Amino acid sequence: MGKILPPGQFETENWPILHQGDVYQFDEQTWDFRMFGEVKKDISLSYAEIMQLPKTISTVDMHCVTTWSKFGTSFEGIALHELLKLVQVNRDARFVKIYGYYNGDRFGYSANMPLEALLGDDALFVYRWKDENHEWQDISPKHGYPLRFIPPASFYLWKGSKWASGIRFMKDDEAGFWEELGYSMTANPYKEERYR
Ligand SMILES: Nc1nc2c(c(=O)[nH]1)N[C@H]1C(S)=C(S)[C@@H](COP(=O)(O)O)O[C@H]1N2
Ligand SMILES: [Mo]
């Protein structure tokens, strides 16, 4: 895959840190990962259960709507398609909202995407990363420790919830945190879909 800079973006080798609110302090006792909404039965996974799931390693480009793009970061984590094996999703659930921590609320941040766009190895909940200048290492607290969603490169990076807490399956598309504030529902950087 070639290195194609989406319109209006510039390349950075650093991995900038960007979020609203404070940084989540991981507490394994109270942490869980939930799948709910349009599913036969809700589930809640402990940190130990999450870390036992099959791992995927993917190299995914990141495009932030504030105009930086970082190419070629490799991530280790759990692909969303692995999590789908643990729930029975209703047939008409075509969208998801992926939740993350915001200012004291583990579900205070969210981003919406169509489920069918997230079935590849490039849609994953990550806990380790490396790039050309860095060895394999844990995702730092500021980048979303202990678990953080990385969306396919066909979405701006705000769709990648840090401090990920769960997935809600939905029949209809529904705006998340930034989408409610006027950002794009579809958010494709190659089409420069920043606002709506
Ligand atoms: N929980 C949470 N996740 C979040 C955000 C946030 O404010 N809270 N900001 C998003 C935005 S706008 C961007 S660009 C990326 C930045 O991720 P990074 O700091 O790891 O580069 O995180 C996304 N995920
Ligand atoms: Mo962003």
Side-chain angles (χ1 to χ4, degrees):
M1 226 174 59
K3 203 150 102 170
I4 299 166
L5 198 60
Q9 297 292 110
F10 73 91
E11 183 178 357
T12 175
E13 286 202 355
N14 303 322
W15 185 4
I17 291 166
L18 237 102
H19 55 260
Q20 301 289 307
D22 62 345
V23 172
Y24 171 67
Q25 301 280 324
F26 178 48
D27 171 11
E28 193 174 338
Q29 299 309 310
T30 56
W31 192 93
D32 67 349
F33 187 90
R34 294 178 212 167
M35 286 188 274
F36 56 103
E38 291 292 327
V39 290
K40 271 269 139 53
K41 194 174 181 297
D42 294 0
I43 70 164
S44 160
L45 300 164
S46 69
Y47 180 68
E49 287 169 330
I50 280 280
M51 296 306 282
Q52 277 166 17
L53 294 173
K55 292 164 185 170
T56 297
I57 292 177
S58 290
T59 302
V60 187
D61 299 335
M62 295 184 277
H63 305 297
C64 175
V65 74
T66 62
T67 74
W68 58 265
S69 289
K70 182 180 185 318
F71 290 94
T73 310
S74 297
F75 295 99
E76 178 181 321
I78 300 134
L80 195 145
H81 63 71
E82 283 296 338
L83 291 167
L84 289 180
K85 295 174 182 171
L86 308 177
V87 282
Q88 225 177 309
V89 178
N90 297 339
R91 295 181 65 102
D92 49 1
R94 293 179 45 234
F95 297 90
V96 292
K97 229 178 200 184
I98 297 182
Y99 289 85
Y101 174 86
Y102 172 66
N103 273 353
D105 180 357
R106 290 199 56 233
F107 290 80
Y109 187 87
S110 67
N112 57 306
M113 283 159 284
L115 180 55
E116 68 165 7
L118 306 180
L119 301 179
D121 281 353
D122 58 351
L124 68 175
F125 292 87
V126 309
Y127 43 79
R128 269 158 59 78
W129 70 284
K130 73 156 185 164
D131 66 13
E132 271 191 354
N133 307 311
H134 300 85
E135 294 301 312
W136 279 113
Q137 58 192 276
D138 286 349
I139 293 287
S140 69
K142 286 178 180 171
H143 282 303
Y145 184 83
L147 194 66
R148 185 257 165 86
F149 187 65
I150 292 290
S154 55
F155 294 97
Y156 282 114
L157 192 60
W158 84 75
K159 301 284 188 181
S161 301
K162 302 194 205 184
W163 312 296
S165 51
I167 306 170
R168 179 152 66 91
F169 296 87
M170 316 185 291
K171 279 185 191 154
D172 303 309
D173 203 3
E174 189 186 290
F177 185 94
W178 285 113
E179 295 80 8
E180 274 193 359
L181 295 169
Y183 284 83
S184 170
M185 297 288 268
T186 49
N188 186 331
Y190 301 102
K191 298 182 186 166
E192 208 168 1
E193 295 169 342
R194 298 176 193 272
Y195 312 103
R196 62 185 182 130

